[in-house]
Structure formats: structure tokens, C-alpha cells
Amino acid sequence: MKFLHLGDLHLGKTLNDFDLIGDQRYILDQILDIADKESVDGVFIAGDVYDKSVPSEASTRLLDYFLSKLADKGIKVFMVSGNHDSDDRLNYGSTLFASNQIFISAVFDGTLHKESFADGDTEIDIYMLPFVKASQIRHYFADEDIESYDDAVRTIIRNTSINKNNKNILVAHQFVSGRGEDPALAGSEGAGTQSVGMVEKIGYDCFEDFDYVALGHIHSPQRVGRDEVRYAGSPLKYSLSEANNEKSVPLITVSVGEGVKIELVPLKPMRDVRHMKGTLMELLDKKNVKAPEDFIYATLTDEDIINDAMGIFQQVYPNTVRIDYDNSHTRAIEHVDISRIAENKSFPELIGDFYRLMYGCEITEEEMDVMRTAAREAGVINEAE
């Protein structure tokens, strides 16, 4: 049997104010084409189906479109919830969906649910684990010592009867690490996951009984510990940290003779996410301009701050997401000891120092008055200062 492994669709996500629904529809259509070409039997969707717990109308319509197309083709779907999803919303109608071979596990109820299928001599059991926290699992296994996410997942698996004579696949949305190394973090999951620490990490070795583990939660596609424990990654680039990612969809072939075979099928977005660096003149020079519809993060190396740089840039690259600077002023600020910068200094002195670092000249009285007014309105200084 053949399966496609998807994760972190984040339907309804935006890049700043840029709507990505059209880009997401484009990439889902591409995935449908791959499903047709490869004659796949099923699709794994490993959580974070929506970007927000209360999804927009456009994002729910897009999921309905995608699932309907898969159902029309007779392709099975195995979908779990992620930490961005509302369990109840994603689970709504799951019994009705199951009649169309769309299997959804959005709420853990004490049992690791599975769906079983046979393809000739190949017996396949597909287990679905929605995003869970240690506190949730203690409720179902009161006699177990569950302090971490790793404890929680190991407890669930230990209390599940797994037939090792069959091919066993797990679809899950968790933060899994391998051989003392964390997965390469990128995108919206990166910063949040990294800050949680050891309590959220799950060792890949707890999945020894599974022939393939279809993971979601990390946006960079990668293996964890062994080839068969894998993050599909998000199908689109959703942040600057993903600009250098090569997006793909894993094609999983499961058979008795060959076991599990994995092929990464490249995905090509409607609009790419790129990082550009140089002076404004260099970046906007006609001979250097390419794919102007892409989403652009620009780092300007001009020494002087350019008035309305975003407006100028968007005349050539209309989908510019952010502009920042890398010059002698910003590098000087990076080396400032922030812990001592405010010692024994008045508000005008602090603002004056900052202005000199940024612009290399003195702030005018008119500009200082504007800063004082803003600071008073924000409650940073009182009326007398």
C-alpha cells in the first residue's frame, strides 16, 4: 500500500497581513496530483490542520475541499489533531466522515485508536495519536508515574496491544528527539518548542514497535533517530527560518517483501519565501530582480536609514513581508551592554544615546519632544520629565 505523509498544514495562516489561502489551495492541488500519479491508498495528516483553534471560514472550506477530493478518489485519510487545533472542532462529524474512509482522532479518550486494512498478504494497523500532554494522560492512567510528555506517550503505547506480525504505523503530533539530538527547529513551532525544555521531548526509541511513524509539529522535513520516524514538515514555508528548506511530501510504500520504502516527492509553491541581503540599490537593480511575486524578507546593508523603505521595496516586490538592517549601527547596538545602559541616565540621555547609535548624529529638540510625548502616553515617564 502507498501513503502520503502530511503535517502542519496550518490552514488559514498568514504572513503578516498576506493571506495564504490561495497558496495553500495551490499546494494541496499539487498534493492531489501526486496522489493520482502515485495511485496512493491513503494520506496521513499529522496535526496542526488549522493555524488557529477557531479557524476562519475560508480555512474550513479549504479543508472540506481537500478531504472531499480525497474521498472522491477513494483515498483513505488518517488525521490527528495538533496543538494549534481545537480538538472538538476537528473531531466534529468524525463518525460521519469515517463512513467515507476519513478517520479522525482529535481527542484522546484513554485508547490509542487504530484502523486495520489488508492489501494482499500485507496486514496494516494504523494508530492515531492526537496531541497530548502529561496532565491529560494521568487522568486515564492514575496508577502510572507520568511526569513528562515522554512518560505520557510511553504509557499510552505500553498499554496498547500491538500485533508485531502486522505492519504498524503511528500518526502523531509531538516533539520527538533522537540520539541525544533535537530535531532542527523552524517556523512557528521552533521558538515555542525550544523554550519548553526537557519536559516536552519524547525519545524516538519509544516507537520501536512501529514500522513507520508519521510525525507533525516541526516544520522542517527530517528523520528523527531512524529513517522511519519522520517529520513531513509543513508543505509551505511559513517563516523566515524556513527560507532555505526544501519542501516535500514523503511517499511511503508498505509491503511484506520490502518493508517500508520512503521517497521524498518535491513540492513547488506558487510563491516562494526568500531572504535577500544587500543595499537597496543592489536589491532593486533590474538585473537582480527575479520572481517579484515571492514573499520577501529583506536585510538592507545601507548605512543610512531609508525613508519609507517598505513602500519603495513593495513597488518591485509587492509581497515584501519585513525589512531590517545590518550595518555598522545595528552591529554596534548588538555589542551594547543593555544591563548597564540605563544606569544613572535621564530619559533624554537614553534617547539621545540610542539616536546616536542608530543614526550617527544628535537628535533634534523637535524629535525629542515627540519621544517624550510618546513615553508619557505609554506611562514610561511622568508628566514632569
Side-chain angles (χ1 to χ4, degrees):
M1 296 184 78
K2 287 185 177 182
F3 301 92
L4 292 180
H5 170 192
L6 306 176
D8 299 274
L9 301 181
H10 285 277
L11 301 181
K13 189 172 180 62
T14 60
L15 278 180
N16 282 0
D17 295 328
F18 295 107
D19 188 347
L20 297 180
I21 284 292
D23 300 78
Q24 292 174 329
R25 167 101 180 221
Y26 181 90
I27 210 70
L28 291 180
D29 280 337
Q30 196 171 131
I31 291 166
L32 289 170
D33 288 342
I34 294 170
D36 275 341
K37 180 181 177 182
E38 298 295 341
S39 300
V40 304
D41 301 284
V43 172
F44 309 134
I45 304 179
D48 280 0
V49 179
Y50 293 120
D51 189 57
K52 293 180 172 61
S53 58
V54 182
S56 65
E57 182 181 348
S59 59
T60 57
R61 284 201 307 267
L62 183 55
L63 179 62
D64 177 69
Y65 164 80
F66 185 55
L67 295 180
S68 296
K69 288 290 186 182
L70 291 171
D72 289 344
K73 298 173 187 296
I75 296 173
K76 301 175 180 66
V77 177
F78 308 90
M79 182 165 66
V80 303
S81 63
N83 56 301
H84 279 247
D85 297 311
S86 164
D87 298 349
D88 292 334
R89 284 185 172 84
L90 199 62
N91 208 50
Y92 181 79
S94 57
T95 302
L96 180 61
F97 288 140
S99 64
N100 286 307
Q101 300 190 98
I102 298 171
F103 305 101
I104 302 172
S105 181
V107 182
F108 184 76
D109 60 3
T111 301
L112 183 58
H113 292 283
K114 75 173 180 180
E115 300 294 336
S116 300
F117 302 94
D119 182 26
D121 295 330
T122 306
E123 297 282 343
I124 300 178
D125 291 334
I126 299 173
Y127 295 83
M128 294 180 289
L129 177 63
F131 179 72
V132 294
K133 298 179 180 179
S135 57
Q136 294 173 273
I137 307 310
R138 291 191 202 107
H139 174 74
Y140 297 101
F141 303 97
D143 296 332
E144 300 272 3
D145 184 17
I146 301 173
E147 298 297 330
S148 66
Y149 286 53
D150 186 81
D151 294 337
V153 172
R154 289 179 191 274
T155 297
I156 293 169
I157 294 173
R158 189 167 57 249
N159 286 276
T160 300
S161 178
I162 298 175
N163 185 348
K164 296 182 181 179
N165 293 319
N166 293 347
K167 293 297 180 184
N168 295 297
I169 295 173
L170 177 68
V171 185
H173 188 94
Q174 300 288 161
F175 180 44
V176 180
S177 60
R179 292 200 175 97
E181 296 182 358
D182 292 338
L185 303 176
S188 60
E189 299 305 324
T193 304
Q194 203 164 24
S195 64
V196 171
M198 293 297 293
V199 71
E200 192 176 331
K201 296 179 186 177
I202 298 166
Y204 82 97
D205 58 311
C206 76
F207 303 123
E208 290 178 348
D209 291 338
F210 296 98
D211 297 277
Y212 185 80
V213 181
L215 292 172
H217 196 45
I218 305 299
H219 290 189
S220 295
Q222 61 198 283
R223 66 192 287 277
V224 183
R226 59 184 171 98
D227 285 345
E228 296 81 14
V229 180
R230 181 173 295 276
Y231 285 105
S234 56
L236 291 173
K237 301 175 184 180
Y238 289 134
S239 70
L240 173 60
S241 61
E242 298 173 73
N244 294 324
N245 281 179
E246 293 297 328
K247 297 297 185 179
S248 59
V249 56
L251 173 65
I252 315 303
T253 304
V254 183
S255 63
V256 173
E258 296 186 14
V260 174
K261 179 183 174 184
I262 304 166
E263 178 187 351
L264 301 182
V265 182
L267 294 174
K268 299 298 180 184
M270 182 169 72
R271 295 178 288 187
D272 202 358
V273 172
R274 294 192 286 127
H275 181 217
M276 303 170 62
K277 185 175 181 179
T279 66
L280 184 72
M281 185 175 293
E282 290 169 346
L283 297 181
L284 300 186
D285 189 311
K286 287 184 178 180
K287 68 175 181 291
N288 296 326
V289 172
K290 61 177 182 179
E293 295 301 316
D294 283 352
F295 295 107
I296 302 297
Y297 290 80
T299 298
L300 301 182
T301 57
D302 300 85
E303 283 298 311
D304 296 323
I305 301 298
I306 298 169
N307 186 41
D308 193 25
M310 179 62 83
I312 296 170
F313 221 84
Q314 288 185 334
Q315 291 181 25
V316 178
Y317 291 100
N319 299 314
T320 301
V321 179
R322 192 183 74 198
I323 292 177
D324 59 15
Y325 285 84
D326 181 10
N327 55 31
S328 61
H329 306 303
T330 59
R331 288 191 290 273
I333 291 172
E334 289 175 0
H335 294 92
V336 171
D337 184 355
I338 297 175
S339 65
R340 302 189 63 184
I341 194 171
E343 287 182 353
N344 302 317
K345 288 189 177 181
S346 66
F347 178 78
E349 288 173 327
L350 287 171
I351 296 299
D353 289 347
F354 176 77
Y355 199 91
R356 279 190 293 275
L357 281 170
M358 284 298 298
Y359 302 111
C361 62
E362 299 297 325
I363 189 170
T364 67
E365 270 304 315
E366 183 181 5
E367 290 168 327
M368 182 63 77
D369 286 341
V370 171
M371 296 301 293
R372 283 196 185 96
T373 300
R376 290 189 189 107
E377 290 177 354
V380 175
I381 62 174
N382 58 43
E383 290 295 330
E385 292 184 87

